[in-house]
Amino acid sequence: MRDYGRDVLAGDWRRPLRGKIPKVPAELDLVVEDAEGGFCGAVVACDKEAVTLEDRFGRRRVFPLAPAAFLLEGRPVTLVRPAPEAASTGPGRSASGSIAVEGLRARVARESRIYVEGVHDASLVEKIWGHDLRVEGVVVEYLEGVDDLPAIVAEFEPGPGRRLGVLVDHLVPGSKESRIAAQVSSPHVLVVGHPFVDIWAAVKPSAVGIRAWPEVPRGIPWKEGVIEALGWRLEPAEAWRRILGAVRTYTDLEPELLGRVEELIDFVSTEETP
């Protein structure tokens, strides 16, 4: 027994591993699981000693920032308080990369509007372009799909000074969406789109911490298929909070989306001459 020393199973056997466990900033909306109790939720607050998680039912619990106390994608992590953002000596930038307007008071909303397909699209546009939209006085509203787009456009009654921009998912040649968009011909309406099946895929995989967005077979709902393929134990709403929480600036989004949203903002905010 002298060759082996004391019992290797005595004491805290996890301690030698803790140096290898990654430290992850407890950023808002990061979804983690309490390693001991199994409580799963998104980060809603964090201080130097504890983090507050909120689950999908709105229940909140506070946990100490202990080593290896949480699971991220099933792997142990140590949550740490996020570092404060460094002060910048140059002009401030908004999340879209534009120069931020200090002391901004939102402009009175124009009659022109931007329509997007769903609430996820709207929340992503707001997170990255919200500052720009308030500068221009542009309101973003969401639809439930684009099947009734021609009727929706007619109800909006576009005209001079009342422009409508529409962002469509999966707007590629030959798609159902492209055939519907082709039915809209008003010069006061601009319909553009990105090639992704869902707005989730407009977020760069690297921002979410995955290699690529999974291929989902036909017949399987895309969001549910992605969640299953990635092994996330989350409901779609929770998964979206996780994805949206990973987005910080325009650099986390694919160029195919960036260009289209900028085009829509320019279109609806341009003053038309009589």
Side-chain angles (χ1 to χ4, degrees), residues 69-84:
F70 301 92
L71 301 178
L72 177 60
E73 298 184 9
R75 298 181 179 179
V77 296
T78 297
L79 291 187
V80 296
R81 189 179 186 183

Side-chain angles (χ1 to χ4, degrees), residues 2 27 29 45-47 50 69 76 79-80 87 89 93 135 138 155 162 172 196 202 215 255 259 264 269 271:
R2 286 181 298 176
E27 302 281 359
D29 295 320
C46 183
D47 58 30
L79 291 187
V80 296
T89 56
R93 296 280 176 175
V135 169
V138 176
E155 182 180 1
R162 186 175 170 80
V172 295
F196 310 109
E215 294 289 335
L264 288 177
S269 61
E271 300 291 344

